[in-house]
Amino acid sequence: MDTTSTTKVVITGTGIVCPVGIGCEQTLAALKADKKGVAPLTVFPAAVPLPVGEITGLDWNSAIVPRTHLIAQTAAAEAMEGINAPPDAVIVGITTGGMEKTENLLLHKEDRPEEYKYHSTGSVAVFVAEQTGCKGPALTISTACSSGSAAIMLGLSMIRSGRFKRVLAGGADSICRLTYYGFNSLQLIDPTGAKPFCRNRKGMSVAEGAGFVLLQGVDGETPENTMAELAGGGLTCDAYHPAAPHPQGAGALSAMDSAMQDAHVDLESIDYISLHGTGTFDNDLAESRAVAALFAKDSVDPPSIPDSSSIKGATGHSLAASGAMEAVIAVMGIVNSFIPANISDPDSNSETEIQISPIQKPVKKEVKAVLSNSFGFGGNNASLVITKPGFAGTQEQSEKPAQQNRRFTVAGTCCLTAAGVGNTAKQIAQNKTLAGCLDSKALAEGLPNREIRRLKRLPRMVLRLVKGAIENTSVLSASPDEDTASSIIPQSIFFGTGFGPLSETYDFMTKLFESDEQFTSPTDFVGSVHNAPAGQAAIKYGAKGPNITATCRYAPFEQALLSAQYLADDAPFLVVCADEYHDALSPLFDPPHDPGSHASDGVASDGGAAFIMESGKGGTGLECRYYGTDFKALVDCVKRDENNHSPKKPGAIMVAYPGITRKAGESLLEDFLEQTSLACPIIDYKRLCGEHASASAVAAGISMELLSKGILPGSLINGDNMDMTGKSILILNLGRVLTLTEAG
Amino acid sequence: MEEQIAGLIEELKIKMIETLNLTDITPGDIDEDARLVGGDLGIDSIDVLEMVMMIEKEYSVMIDNKDVGIRVFETLKTLATYIAKKKK
């Protein structure tokens, strides 16, 4: 990774797998022919199979990985065709990962954890990274139906930082019972197939698919294989409702507005709007209002709206994949001078309330600039602007602030462990364990019953953590005059979780299976999406900036922190990471990797930590410095700091070995210490706070508390208390992923 | 019929508290003539759908049309009346 600043990001590869075609060529031909890929469900048996968008033509039977992984791998391989070097990072938008396989295993009461190894949403990105030889970050964004676009937006920001040259970004999802029955329980499925923006629309058609774009940073000349330019993007949150869009499309409008500003493209230059258009009553109405409002800004009434369409009448709604698939189709449109049709339904007139008129037949015309929309549960909105190469550069540009040298500091912290909320450092000083699960009643303390009645363990943990961290900001910033001390409320949220809301997922599936797949709980479905806790926090605190959920079984905290480092703007933001222990699911999804030397003696544990953060302020810093699988790059990262005469020297290292045996981990640590010449006390943080995916967030929270007190207690290092003045703490993961986070 | 509806209202109050986890409310707190959605109980569209699922399971009465749903869920009394009418 070099750190030269990059001005332009181009797309040099695309791959797609969708219900109307495998690969770009087939898909383009199908869209040109106005083909529909929606038909009754066959992936699993259902009493009344509803229309869905299924992938046909992949060899499911001989695949060793679940459906989502195979779909993702196929699209990723197409995007990388003819490219000889691996990407520097892989970012995949995912909502359900290996859920379809997991459901079958649960249905047959399979209890061998190894069967569930591809369950986690994060496993898709890791698989794609392995397949493409990527040794950099393999990140997973789970922001429901905007995931694919949000993943591409993160890729754009990472390349703009100058630290990454080539990023493979996209999204993938497969049909599973959770989403099929879940959306049906919300009465959001059209029994006759999705008809976006039509008067008689009744809902969506759940679908599957994958889309990937290879993003490349360009400093000078545009590479020969450039297909299009990713000119800009915008991420916002409605902070309005867990499942319904803001009725006027306020968040959608601000996402589009922010994308247009980021891209420096005039509204008049947009030739095509790729609409989210799911076919649900509320989405289509809110989106049409937002689009009309955007284009009304600079023109006389009625607004002059460019050609627009939603492809979801043809492909169905492939959830996390949809935004990425639509980005690929936008590139196809630019390269082939083509705009796909909304649908070809004779009864497809728009209703009068809908203020836009999507095109009803495919159109052949030059496309120079596309605005592509994706919106999702939790009020997550993502818009991208994709243009002909060099087009955005012809528009007037303003100065962009340099992103790469920002320092991120913590204004408030809160830890949640079995020992309770906050005050973790005190527990450690008294040599008390933090491993275990916090009592459910203690979790709800301070949270109004009406606010949490629908929330189970994980969202309660997150709300409790955020409350604690915000309260802590007023303590840390308290001035001698008590009255002027005020809390800092975050505007953006970056949430990390290994496995998401397990209680909601389990209760949903149990109810479904117990009723012979007749009854489910819509509340549990809405709560089961990985980003639901972050959505709840946004609603409570009115956080309308980017709202990102990153997932990974090994280092979700580092993924959330990394996402924040690239996507947070100048307003205060929240990084929160948590995982719940679930009696039935945790032993299957996240068994102790090394039972013989289990760090916390097999105590079932959960917890997390939250950080209110800012950039450009003083205070104790917190930054993820390395994420990947390249040991040499990790060592070089530490050496570089040494050579740069970093003002703070490491005073302690918190270490864990995710996904590998303790013995193998300790041997890696030995190599690490030898090659970096670091000599400081080592703390095995999972012995402190137990084994769970979010343990490193707790380690970071403990580090912040220790640094604020300036003392490393002797009880932690089997010695005397150590003065930490002017020193930092490194949080190190040496396992299936390698990460280095610096607190100090 | 009126007696049946009155009994159903009392039954629904208990089922609603349980289904929607309204732990700080007792059946006596619920006014069967008060607006159900967006009223004092803090009930929204997701709660309505949760109730729809419960009603289908417990009474074999389906409410899968949004327009019908808006009318039926106006108050607890309108809901009880609808169930009484449709129940087999």
Side-chain angles (χ1 to χ4, degrees):
Chain A
M1 291 190 281
D2 77 38
T3 52
T4 333
S5 146
T6 298
T7 50
K8 257 197 308 193
V9 177
V10 298
I11 297 169
T12 53
T14 54
I16 190 167
V17 171
C18 75
V20 296
I22 310 274
C24 292
E25 208 180 310
Q26 265 189 27
T27 304
L28 178 65
L31 291 174
K32 278 184 170 174
D34 214 3
K35 193 180 152 191
K36 251 184 123 167
V38 173
L41 173 87
T42 67
V43 177
F44 47 84
V48 185
L50 292 162
V52 294
E54 281 179 15
I55 307 289
T56 49
L58 289 186
D59 185 4
W60 310 114
N61 295 333
S62 44
I64 51 156
V65 287
R67 216 172 159 91
T68 309
H69 298 62
L70 183 62
I71 296 171
Q73 178 197 6
T74 310
E78 188 189 17
M80 292 300 293
E81 245 170 46
I83 310 286
N84 297 321
D88 299 328
V90 168
I91 314 170
V92 190
I94 296 282
T95 66
T96 52
M99 193 64 197
E100 191 262 335
K101 183 176 181 188
T102 296
E103 289 164 353
N104 287 324
L105 295 170
L106 291 173
L107 190 59
H108 295 102
K109 304 200 183 315
E110 175 60 63
D111 62 1
R112 288 172 300 174
E114 63 267 28
E115 291 294 315
Y116 294 87
K117 72 174 179 179
Y118 290 112
H119 166 77
S120 81
T121 46
S123 65
V124 184
V126 171
F127 181 66
V128 170
E130 283 167 2
Q131 297 292 315
T132 55
C134 170
K135 289 187 164 185
L139 309 177
T140 302
I141 299 300
S142 198
T143 57
C145 303
S146 68
S147 303
S149 294
I152 293 172
M153 182 63 201
L154 176 57
L156 174 68
S157 298
M158 285 167 70
I159 294 178
R160 279 178 176 167
S161 76
R163 291 169 195 259
F164 297 84
K165 280 286 172 211
R166 228 192 318 239
V167 175
L168 180 64
D173 254 329
S174 77
I175 290 173
C176 63
R177 288 172 175 86
L178 180 67
T179 48
Y180 175 85
Y181 288 112
F183 282 112
N184 197 32
S185 75
L186 290 172
Q187 300 189 351
L188 292 178
I189 305 264
D190 191 326
T192 58
K195 295 177 279 292
F197 301 98
C198 292
R199 188 186 296 136
N200 58 349
R201 70 186 184 279
K202 288 195 174 69
M204 61 165 86
S205 300
V206 176
E208 56 192 358
F212 278 93
V213 288
L214 181 64
L215 305 174
Q216 194 170 328
V218 175
D219 296 320
E221 217 167 286
T222 310
E224 252 180 51
N225 56 347
T226 299
M227 303 159 99
E229 186 174 332
L230 179 57
L235 300 173
T236 64
C237 183
D238 284 357
Y240 170 74
H241 187 270
H246 184 277
Q248 298 303 321
L253 174 61
S254 65
M256 287 188 280
D257 209 13
S258 143
M260 295 299 297
Q261 286 184 33
D262 184 49
H264 300 288
V265 170
D266 300 331
L267 284 171
E268 291 75 21
S269 304
I270 297 291
D271 302 298
Y272 170 52
I273 309 171
S274 173
L275 298 160
H276 184 54
T278 57
T280 68
F281 185 84
D282 291 340
N283 172 81
D284 294 2
L285 186 56
E287 186 176 12
S288 80
R289 286 172 173 161
V291 168
L294 178 75
F295 285 88
K297 274 186 181 171
D298 297 330
S299 50
V300 286
D301 200 33
S304 167
I305 298 171
D307 285 340
S308 66
S309 67
S310 156
I311 59 154
K312 293 185 178 75
T315 62
H317 184 7
S318 54
L319 313 180
S322 65
M325 277 168 40
E326 283 150 26
V328 170
I329 291 167
V331 175
M332 282 179 190
I334 288 166
V335 172
N336 298 285
S337 301
F338 163 74
I339 296 177
N342 196 60
I343 49 160
S344 52
D345 186 330
D347 185 27
S348 61
N349 295 331
S350 292
E351 63 168 281
T352 45
E353 252 196 297
I354 297 270
Q355 298 173 32
I356 51 176
S357 307
I359 56 166
Q360 299 303 320
K361 288 280 171 202
V363 169
K364 183 148 184 64
K365 70 173 242 190
E366 189 186 14
V367 180
K368 292 192 289 292
V370 180
L371 173 64
S372 184
N373 285 341
S374 301
F375 312 126
F377 272 10
N380 280 306
N381 308 299
S383 294
L384 300 173
V385 177
I386 300 170
T387 66
K388 276 203 167 191
F391 179 77
T394 62
Q395 307 274 315
E396 197 183 321
Q397 296 237 2
S398 65
E399 279 295 309
K400 269 185 198 164
Q403 298 277 310
Q404 62 264 48
N405 295 320
R406 292 196 297 168
R407 183 169 182 268
F408 302 94
T409 52
V410 175
T413 311
C414 183
C415 275
L416 194 156
T417 66
V421 180
N423 231 357
T424 315
K426 197 172 155 192
Q427 297 282 334
I428 295 169
Q430 293 169 359
N431 223 354
K432 286 183 184 162
T433 180
L434 304 172
C437 300
L438 182 64
D439 170 67
S440 306
K441 267 193 192 149
L443 247 186
E445 208 180 85
L447 300 174
N449 184 60
R450 200 160 276 200
E451 276 178 27
I452 59 165
R453 70 178 166 86
R454 285 202 297 227
L455 309 182
K456 294 182 178 172
R457 189 167 178 83
L458 188 65
R460 287 183 181 206
M461 289 167 84
V462 168
L463 287 184
R464 192 64 195 82
L465 278 168
V466 181
K467 182 175 184 285
I470 289 175
E471 284 168 1
N472 187 237
T473 61
S474 65
V475 175
L476 290 185
S477 66
S479 68
D481 178 2
E482 284 280 312
D483 293 341
T484 61
S486 60
S487 302
I488 299 172
I489 306 293
Q491 297 303 303
S492 308
I493 295 178
F494 300 89
F495 171 48
T497 180
F499 295 93
L502 291 177
S503 297
E504 287 84 346
T505 305
Y506 182 79
D507 291 349
F508 182 95
M509 295 316 301
T510 303
K511 214 171 194 178
L512 185 70
F513 290 149
E514 280 176 357
S515 67
D516 203 14
E517 305 200 6
Q518 272 195 76
F519 300 110
T520 57
S521 162
T523 308
D524 282 336
F525 174 58
V526 172
S528 75
V529 296
H530 279 57
N531 62 310
Q536 289 292 340
I539 293 168
K540 185 166 169 72
Y541 295 102
K544 294 183 178 174
N547 188 296
I548 292 292
T549 294
T551 70
C552 164
R553 66 182 296 184
Y554 300 123
F557 168 63
E558 287 75 4
Q559 290 210 6
L561 186 57
L562 208 59
S563 304
Q565 286 167 204
Y566 291 108
L567 291 173
D569 52 27
D570 294 332
F573 58 95
L574 166 78
V575 175
V576 56
C577 185
D579 269 285
E580 66 165 310
Y581 182 84
H582 188 274
D583 287 338
L585 295 183
S586 295
L588 299 175
F589 297 167
D590 195 21
H593 189 78
D594 192 10
S597 60
H598 199 243
S600 50
D601 299 323
V603 178
S605 301
D606 60 11
F611 307 86
I612 305 294
M613 297 183 65
E614 295 173 296
S615 70
K617 298 275 170 73
T620 310
L622 183 65
E623 188 174 355
C624 180
R625 309 292 299 273
Y626 180 78
Y627 192 114
T629 54
D630 185 347
F631 189 75
K632 187 178 172 297
L634 169 73
V635 169
D636 287 348
C637 179
V638 177
K639 283 185 178 167
R640 204 166 44 236
D641 287 348
E642 288 289 305
N643 293 339
N644 287 346
H645 306 290
S646 171
K648 289 185 179 175
K649 300 286 176 201
I653 298 176
M654 296 250 189
V655 70
Y657 316 108
I660 61 170
T661 63
R662 178 163 298 273
K663 203 175 159 197
E666 282 169 353
S667 152
L668 269 181
L669 178 64
E670 227 170 84
D671 292 347
F672 175 82
L673 293 174
E674 192 190 316
Q675 291 182 35
T676 57
S677 312
L678 284 176
C680 55
I682 306 293
I683 301 158
D684 185 331
Y685 70 76
K686 288 200 175 178
R687 285 197 196 280
L688 269 182
C689 55
E691 296 265 3
H692 58 86
S694 293
S696 64
V698 179
I702 294 169
S703 301
M704 296 310 298
E705 288 192 33
L706 296 176
L707 288 168
S708 75
K709 289 182 173 34
I711 298 281
L712 189 67
S715 59
L716 268 183
I717 48 174
N718 297 326
D720 297 330
N721 285 356
M722 208 174 109
D723 180 13
M724 292 296 283
T725 314
K727 289 186 174 151
S728 66
I729 297 178
L730 299 182
I731 299 130
L732 187 64
N733 282 318
L734 295 173
R736 286 290 301 276
V737 294
L738 309 169
T739 70
L740 177 76
T741 301
E742 185 183 24
Chain B
M1 186 80 169
E2 261 181 38
E3 218 172 88
Q4 191 197 353
I5 291 171
L8 209 48
I9 286 173
E10 290 316 306
E11 199 175 291
L12 281 171
K13 285 180 179 174
I14 296 165
K15 284 191 198 296
M16 188 165 84
I17 288 171
E18 193 187 298
T19 307
L20 306 183
N21 199 25
L22 300 166
T23 48
D24 53 355
I25 285 168
T26 64
D29 298 333
I30 303 172
D31 175 0
E32 61 259 35
D33 291 314
R35 187 157 62 106
L36 207 51
V37 180
D40 290 344
L41 299 175
I43 289 173
D44 73 359
S45 57
I46 298 175
D47 293 318
V48 167
L49 292 163
E50 197 68 46
M51 294 276 284
V52 164
M53 202 58 85
M54 181 272 286
I55 289 158
E56 189 181 338
K57 197 176 172 186
E58 301 283 322
Y59 304 102
S60 301
V61 173
M62 278 174 75
I63 309 166
D64 55 2
N65 177 308
K66 202 176 172 175
D67 295 334
V68 175
I70 289 171
R71 271 189 288 119
V72 171
F73 280 94
E74 208 176 322
T75 66
L76 202 62
K77 192 184 265 174
T78 58
L79 179 62
T81 310
Y82 186 79
I83 294 172
K85 222 190 292 174
K86 295 278 172 179
K87 210 168 117 181
K88 283 158 200 161

